[in-house]
Tab-separated table of all heavy atoms in Angstrom:
chain	number	residue	atom	x	y	z
A	1	THR	N	-58.779	-49.766	-74.822
A	1	THR	CA	-60.196	-49.546	-74.567
A	1	THR	C	-60.999	-49.921	-75.808
A	1	THR	O	-60.454	-50.009	-76.900
A	1	THR	CB	-60.498	-48.076	-74.203
A	1	THR	OG1	-60.176	-47.248	-75.312
A	1	THR	CG2	-59.730	-47.649	-72.967
A	2	ALA	N	-62.271	-50.146	-75.596
A	2	ALA	CA	-63.190	-50.460	-76.697
A	2	ALA	C	-64.506	-49.760	-76.423
A	2	ALA	O	-64.814	-49.399	-75.287
A	2	ALA	CB	-63.402	-51.964	-76.802
A	3	ALA	N	-65.286	-49.583	-77.470
A	3	ALA	CA	-66.597	-48.965	-77.335
A	3	ALA	C	-67.588	-49.976	-76.757
A	3	ALA	O	-67.638	-51.131	-77.186
A	3	ALA	CB	-67.077	-48.461	-78.687
A	4	PHE	N	-68.338	-49.527	-75.780
A	4	PHE	CA	-69.395	-50.322	-75.157
A	4	PHE	C	-70.668	-49.486	-75.146
A	4	PHE	O	-70.604	-48.265	-74.958
A	4	PHE	CB	-69.057	-50.666	-73.692
A	4	PHE	CG	-68.032	-51.743	-73.518
A	4	PHE	CD1	-66.687	-51.475	-73.687
A	4	PHE	CD2	-68.411	-53.028	-73.164
A	4	PHE	CE1	-65.727	-52.465	-73.516
A	4	PHE	CE2	-67.458	-54.031	-72.984
A	4	PHE	CZ	-66.117	-53.743	-73.158
A	5	VAL	N	-71.799	-50.117	-75.329
A	5	VAL	CA	-73.072	-49.451	-75.094
A	5	VAL	C	-73.462	-49.817	-73.667
A	5	VAL	O	-73.406	-50.983	-73.268
A	5	VAL	CB	-74.155	-49.830	-76.134
A	5	VAL	CG1	-74.507	-51.292	-76.091
A	5	VAL	CG2	-75.388	-48.974	-75.962
A	6	VAL	N	-73.777	-48.793	-72.866
A	6	VAL	CA	-74.085	-48.971	-71.450
A	6	VAL	C	-75.488	-48.425	-71.213
A	6	VAL	O	-75.756	-47.252	-71.471
A	6	VAL	CB	-73.063	-48.216	-70.567
A	6	VAL	CG1	-73.400	-48.380	-69.095
A	6	VAL	CG2	-71.653	-48.685	-70.863
A	7	CYS	N	-76.380	-49.291	-70.735
A	7	CYS	CA	-77.783	-48.914	-70.545
A	7	CYS	C	-78.226	-49.210	-69.118
A	7	CYS	O	-77.781	-50.185	-68.516
A	7	CYS	CB	-78.693	-49.687	-71.489
A	7	CYS	SG	-78.283	-49.525	-73.225
A	8	GLU	N	-79.132	-48.374	-68.642
A	8	GLU	CA	-79.811	-48.611	-67.373
A	8	GLU	C	-81.300	-48.581	-67.660
A	8	GLU	O	-81.787	-47.672	-68.327
A	8	GLU	CB	-79.445	-47.549	-66.347
A	8	GLU	CG	-78.004	-47.617	-65.896
A	8	GLU	CD	-77.697	-46.598	-64.810
A	8	GLU	OE1	-78.496	-45.669	-64.595
A	8	GLU	OE2	-76.645	-46.741	-64.184
A	9	ARG	N	-82.015	-49.604	-67.162
A	9	ARG	CA	-83.452	-49.692	-67.349
A	9	ARG	C	-84.129	-49.692	-65.993
A	9	ARG	O	-83.792	-50.484	-65.130
A	9	ARG	CB	-83.829	-50.977	-68.096
A	9	ARG	CG	-83.297	-51.055	-69.492
A	9	ARG	CD	-83.759	-52.304	-70.258
A	9	ARG	NE	-84.312	-53.395	-69.487
A	9	ARG	CZ	-83.613	-54.438	-69.053
A	9	ARG	NH1	-82.318	-54.519	-69.261
A	9	ARG	NH2	-84.200	-55.405	-68.389
A	10	SER	N	-85.092	-48.829	-65.814
A	10	SER	CA	-85.833	-48.797	-64.561
A	10	SER	C	-86.952	-49.829	-64.596
A	10	SER	O	-87.273	-50.380	-65.652
A	10	SER	CB	-86.423	-47.402	-64.330
A	10	SER	OG	-87.479	-47.170	-65.241
A	11	GLU	N	-87.564	-50.071	-63.450
A	11	GLU	CA	-88.704	-50.994	-63.387
A	11	GLU	C	-89.852	-50.500	-64.250
A	11	GLU	O	-90.649	-51.288	-64.738
A	11	GLU	CB	-89.169	-51.170	-61.941
A	11	GLU	CG	-88.269	-52.052	-61.120
A	11	GLU	CD	-88.805	-52.265	-59.721
A	11	GLU	OE1	-89.938	-51.847	-59.419
A	11	GLU	OE2	-88.076	-52.862	-58.920
A	12	ALA	N	-89.902	-49.191	-64.473
A	12	ALA	CA	-90.959	-48.613	-65.303
A	12	ALA	C	-90.702	-48.856	-66.791
A	12	ALA	O	-91.526	-48.507	-67.620
A	12	ALA	CB	-91.067	-47.122	-65.028
A	13	GLY	N	-89.542	-49.443	-67.135
A	13	GLY	CA	-89.237	-49.756	-68.524
A	13	GLY	C	-88.484	-48.664	-69.260
A	13	GLY	O	-88.231	-48.787	-70.448
A	14	VAL	N	-88.127	-47.582	-68.567
A	14	VAL	CA	-87.397	-46.493	-69.201
A	14	VAL	C	-85.925	-46.891	-69.326
A	14	VAL	O	-85.299	-47.278	-68.349
A	14	VAL	CB	-87.526	-45.190	-68.375
A	14	VAL	CG1	-86.691	-44.081	-68.987
A	14	VAL	CG2	-88.985	-44.775	-68.270
A	15	SER	N	-85.401	-46.810	-70.551
A	15	SER	CA	-84.000	-47.152	-70.805
A	15	SER	C	-83.218	-45.901	-71.144
A	15	SER	O	-83.664	-45.080	-71.944
A	15	SER	CB	-83.885	-48.142	-71.971
A	15	SER	OG	-84.477	-49.367	-71.638
A	16	ARG	N	-82.054	-45.774	-70.549
A	16	ARG	CA	-81.126	-44.694	-70.873
A	16	ARG	C	-79.806	-45.348	-71.235
A	16	ARG	O	-79.230	-46.071	-70.420
A	16	ARG	CB	-80.952	-43.764	-69.684
A	16	ARG	CG	-82.175	-42.915	-69.431
A	16	ARG	CD	-81.904	-41.854	-68.377
A	16	ARG	NE	-82.976	-40.882	-68.297
A	16	ARG	CZ	-84.135	-41.073	-67.694
A	16	ARG	NH1	-84.361	-42.229	-67.122
A	16	ARG	NH2	-85.055	-40.139	-67.667
A	17	CYS	N	-79.348	-45.081	-72.457
A	17	CYS	CA	-78.129	-45.703	-72.956
A	17	CYS	C	-77.138	-44.648	-73.428
A	17	CYS	O	-77.535	-43.567	-73.858
A	17	CYS	CB	-78.432	-46.641	-74.125
A	17	CYS	SG	-79.569	-47.987	-73.743
A	18	LYS	N	-75.868	-45.006	-73.360
A	18	LYS	CA	-74.812	-44.163	-73.916
A	18	LYS	C	-73.680	-45.074	-74.360
A	18	LYS	O	-73.587	-46.226	-73.939
A	18	LYS	CB	-74.318	-43.144	-72.892
A	18	LYS	CG	-73.769	-43.767	-71.621
A	18	LYS	CD	-73.459	-42.715	-70.596
A	18	LYS	CE	-73.137	-43.391	-69.269
A	18	LYS	NZ	-72.955	-42.443	-68.196
A	19	VAL	N	-72.837	-44.554	-75.244
A	19	VAL	CA	-71.667	-45.293	-75.693
A	19	VAL	C	-70.477	-44.748	-74.929
A	19	VAL	O	-70.264	-43.533	-74.869
A	19	VAL	CB	-71.460	-45.161	-77.217
A	19	VAL	CG1	-70.153	-45.811	-77.646
A	19	VAL	CG2	-72.631	-45.799	-77.955
A	20	GLU	N	-69.716	-45.643	-74.313
A	20	GLU	CA	-68.518	-45.275	-73.542
A	20	GLU	C	-67.353	-46.112	-74.007
A	20	GLU	O	-67.525	-47.245	-74.454
A	20	GLU	CB	-68.722	-45.534	-72.050
A	20	GLU	CG	-69.816	-44.735	-71.395
A	20	GLU	CD	-69.937	-45.047	-69.911
A	20	GLU	OE1	-69.246	-45.960	-69.399
A	20	GLU	OE2	-70.747	-44.391	-69.256
A	21	HIS	N	-66.147	-45.557	-73.862
A	21	HIS	CA	-64.939	-46.345	-74.113
A	21	HIS	C	-64.453	-46.835	-72.755
A	21	HIS	O	-64.124	-46.045	-71.876
A	21	HIS	CB	-63.872	-45.509	-74.834
A	21	HIS	CG	-64.181	-45.368	-76.279
A	21	HIS	ND1	-63.713	-46.247	-77.235
A	21	HIS	CD2	-64.956	-44.492	-76.942
A	21	HIS	CE1	-64.173	-45.904	-78.402
A	21	HIS	NE2	-64.932	-44.835	-78.262
A	22	LEU	N	-64.444	-48.160	-72.602
A	22	LEU	CA	-64.079	-48.810	-71.339
A	22	LEU	C	-62.873	-49.701	-71.576
A	22	LEU	O	-62.648	-50.166	-72.697
A	22	LEU	CB	-65.255	-49.633	-70.812
A	22	LEU	CG	-66.563	-48.875	-70.564
A	22	LEU	CD1	-67.674	-49.848	-70.213
A	22	LEU	CD2	-66.372	-47.844	-69.468
A	23	PRO	N	-62.100	-49.979	-70.526
A	23	PRO	CA	-60.965	-50.899	-70.684
A	23	PRO	C	-61.428	-52.281	-71.155
A	23	PRO	O	-62.477	-52.760	-70.759
A	23	PRO	CB	-60.379	-50.983	-69.275
A	23	PRO	CG	-60.859	-49.769	-68.572
A	23	PRO	CD	-62.208	-49.450	-69.176
A	24	VAL	N	-60.634	-52.871	-72.029
A	24	VAL	CA	-60.928	-54.204	-72.533
A	24	VAL	C	-60.366	-55.209	-71.551
A	24	VAL	O	-59.176	-55.144	-71.208
A	24	VAL	CB	-60.289	-54.415	-73.929
A	24	VAL	CG1	-60.504	-55.831	-74.412
A	24	VAL	CG2	-60.841	-53.404	-74.912
A	25	PRO	N	-61.193	-56.138	-71.073
A	25	PRO	CA	-60.681	-57.148	-70.144
A	25	PRO	C	-59.609	-57.999	-70.822
A	25	PRO	O	-59.747	-58.379	-71.982
A	25	PRO	CB	-61.904	-58.002	-69.800
A	25	PRO	CG	-63.080	-57.239	-70.288
A	25	PRO	CD	-62.611	-56.292	-71.350
């Protein structure tokens, strides 16, 4: 696994991000 920053942005421009450990392709 590796650290990834994962963000979701709404149409209103609000961003929510977190760091997750995800499998490395």
Side-chain angles (χ1 to χ4, degrees):
T1 63
F4 284 78
V5 63
V6 179
C7 304
E8 292 184 345
R9 296 184 344 266
S10 71
E11 284 183 7
V14 176
S15 295
R16 288 189 169 78
C17 301
K18 59 187 171 186
V19 174
E20 297 181 354
H21 282 269
L22 302 173
V24 176

